[in-house]
């Protein structure tokens, strides 16, 4: 399947939409309009990106956007390696998985697994998919709302109440992540053709044997499964999963902000300690625990700040 992506100006989008009929209701978040024309799916996003998908994608894009130079996103069959230890994953069909929120006192733990085929690699590059740590929250939201419309994925969220319950039962954060990663990966394998899957690559947070010990279930395809440190820079599948998981975390943090009517800081710095103390003063310790990871040291530091203030 061919894939073509263009960034259009507002007037160019209006001109495109005047040529054929588009659906503009009941669309995924982030999408402005969608249609199928000459066996080609056309998605228009609020970001101004327009994606053509189908065997006739290049022809249809050239027909509807005659002033744009069109290049089909074809991948090479080269299977060279980037170095002696890391595969060039973007030359293969891969499921990547990553998480967000594990180092943040406030907010949930979110995990995503995403399948990126060789045909989608250049599409993701055109959209600007990159290491989520290099992207601001607005860019994360923009990209994620595009990716979820065509990338097979599974997104799992462990909110703070459930997180604290698991932690109280003796689950380490490594165990939580291993279970969520494995479940998300299994979910994605149910959405794709197994024969076309080359690798499953996990952004490494633990060694393989530790992951397998904690995952509670077998790895779906252990011989195809790889673990990579700094995986976002080595695999676009991991980068896509990272963006979607970070998107879910950001959205959940926005929800908490609206809930307590205070801008919730990310991370686990001294600034977070001070904010946690304000939450205790305004809403009490139970409310703090309902929106945070209770075992983090920030909780004790916030209680110490409260104690010093009144003693």
């Amino acid at each position: 399947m061919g894939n073509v992506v263009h960034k259009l100006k507002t007037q160019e989008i209006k001109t495109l939409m005047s040529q054929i009929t588009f659906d503009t209701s009941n669309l995924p978040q982030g999408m402005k309009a969608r249609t199928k024309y000459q066996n080609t799916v056309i998605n228009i996003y609020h970001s101004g990106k327009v994606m053509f998908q189908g065997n006739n994608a290049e022809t249809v894009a050239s027909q509807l956007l005659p002033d744009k130079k069109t290049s089909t996103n074809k991948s090479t069959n080269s299977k060279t390696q980037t170095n002696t230890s890391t595969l060039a994953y973007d030359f293969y069909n891969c499921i990547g998985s990553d998480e967000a929120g594990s180092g943040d006192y406030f907010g949930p733990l979110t995990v995503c697994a995403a399948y990126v085929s060789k045909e989608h690699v250049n599409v993701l590059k055109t959209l600007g998919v990159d290491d989520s740590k290099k992207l601001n929250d607005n860019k994360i939201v923009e990209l994620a709302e595009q990716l979820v419309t065509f990338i097979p994925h599974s997104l799992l969220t462990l909110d703070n109440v459930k997180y604290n319950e698991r932690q109280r039962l003796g689950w380490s954060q490594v165990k939580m992540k291993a279970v969520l990663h494995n479940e998300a990966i299994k979910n994605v394998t149910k959405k794709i053709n197994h024969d076309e899957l080359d690798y499953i690559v996990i952004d490494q947070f633990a060694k393989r044997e530790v992951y397998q010990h904690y995952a509670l279930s077998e790895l779906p395809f252990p011989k195809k499964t790889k673990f990579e440190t700094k995986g976002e820079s080595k695999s676009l599948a991991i980068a896509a999963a990272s963006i979607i998981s970070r998107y879910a975390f950001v959205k959940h943090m926005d929800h908490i902000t609206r809930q307590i009517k205070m801008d919730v800081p990310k991370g686990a710095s001294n600034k977070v300690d001070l904010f946690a103390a304000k939450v205790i003063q305004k809403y009490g310790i139970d409310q703090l625990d309902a929106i945070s990871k209770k075992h983090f040291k920030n909780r004790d530091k916030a209680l110490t700040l409260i104690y010093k203030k009144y003693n």
Side-chain angles (χ1 to χ4, degrees), residues 1-268:
M1 178 182 289
N3 297 278
V4 174
V5 177
H6 284 295
K7 178 67 182 288
L8 302 184
K9 297 177 181 178
T10 302
Q11 186 55 51
E12 290 174 323
I13 290 176
K14 289 181 180 178
T15 301
L16 172 60
M17 293 182 68
S18 70
Q19 296 180 66
I20 55 178
T21 302
F22 281 85
D23 294 325
T24 57
S25 58
N26 300 319
L27 299 174
Q29 195 169 8
M31 186 178 289
K32 178 182 180 69
R34 168 189 282 170
T35 192
K36 188 169 185 178
Y37 177 73
Q38 295 184 2
N39 295 318
T40 299
V41 174
I42 306 173
N43 294 328
I44 302 176
Y45 299 97
H46 290 299
S47 65
K49 300 281 179 64
V50 179
M51 181 183 297
F52 297 79
Q53 293 177 285
N55 294 331
N56 299 323
E58 184 175 4
T59 301
V60 172
S62 297
Q63 175 186 336
L64 297 176
L65 304 173
D67 295 332
K68 297 290 182 181
K69 291 183 179 180
T70 302
S71 59
T72 307
N73 292 307
K74 295 178 180 177
S75 60
T76 175
N77 290 324
S78 169
K79 304 208 173 178
T80 56
Q81 294 184 322
T82 55
N83 56 49
T84 56
S85 61
T86 302
L87 285 162
Y89 291 106
D90 294 345
F91 292 122
Y92 297 88
N93 300 320
C94 293
I95 293 175
S97 68
D98 202 359
E99 78 281 336
S102 62
D104 295 86
Y105 174 56
F106 289 104
L109 175 63
T110 60
V111 173
C112 179
Y115 175 69
V116 175
S117 66
K118 291 178 288 187
E119 289 73 20
H120 276 143
V121 165
N122 284 338
V123 176
L124 267 59
K125 288 180 179 178
T126 302
L127 290 175
V129 172
D130 201 347
D131 185 337
S132 67
K133 296 179 183 65
K134 300 177 182 177
L135 306 173
N136 62 37
D137 287 350
N138 289 336
K139 188 63 176 179
I140 289 287
V141 171
E142 176 191 315
L143 285 172
E145 291 181 347
Q146 296 172 60
L147 292 175
V148 297
T149 64
F150 68 95
I151 294 294
H153 68 282
S154 173
L155 174 63
L156 302 177
T157 299
L158 191 65
D159 65 28
N160 291 112
V161 173
K162 292 179 181 177
Y163 180 102
N164 292 331
E165 286 176 354
R166 298 295 188 280
Q167 201 275 331
R168 192 163 54 249
L169 291 172
W171 286 37
S172 66
Q173 194 179 84
V174 170
K175 181 173 182 176
M176 295 182 207
K177 290 196 283 189
V179 171
L180 291 173
H181 273 259
N182 218 43
E183 287 303 307
I185 289 168
K186 287 195 294 184
N187 290 343
V188 175
T189 62
K190 297 174 183 177
K191 301 179 181 182
I192 65 173
N193 184 343
H194 295 170
D195 294 334
E196 296 179 355
L197 176 64
D198 293 314
Y199 291 105
I200 296 170
V201 54
I202 300 167
D203 192 52
Q204 185 170 320
F205 55 87
K207 292 183 178 180
R208 174 186 284 266
E209 55 270 24
V210 175
Y211 178 98
Q212 290 177 317
H213 173 71
Y214 283 127
L216 297 184
S217 60
E218 294 296 322
L219 278 65
F221 296 94
K223 292 183 179 179
K224 295 183 177 182
T225 301
K226 306 288 184 180
F227 293 78
E228 292 285 353
T229 56
K230 299 181 180 179
E232 291 173 85
S233 63
K234 300 173 183 177
S235 165
L236 278 173
I238 290 181
S242 175
I243 286 169
I244 297 172
S245 61
R246 186 68 184 175
Y247 167 79
F249 176 78
V250 168
K251 285 296 185 180
H252 198 102
M253 290 288 276
D254 288 345
H255 171 74
I256 295 174
T257 291
R258 291 192 298 271
Q259 179 185 356
I260 66 174
K261 298 179 176 60
M262 300 167 72
D263 290 330
V264 184
K266 299 179 179 69

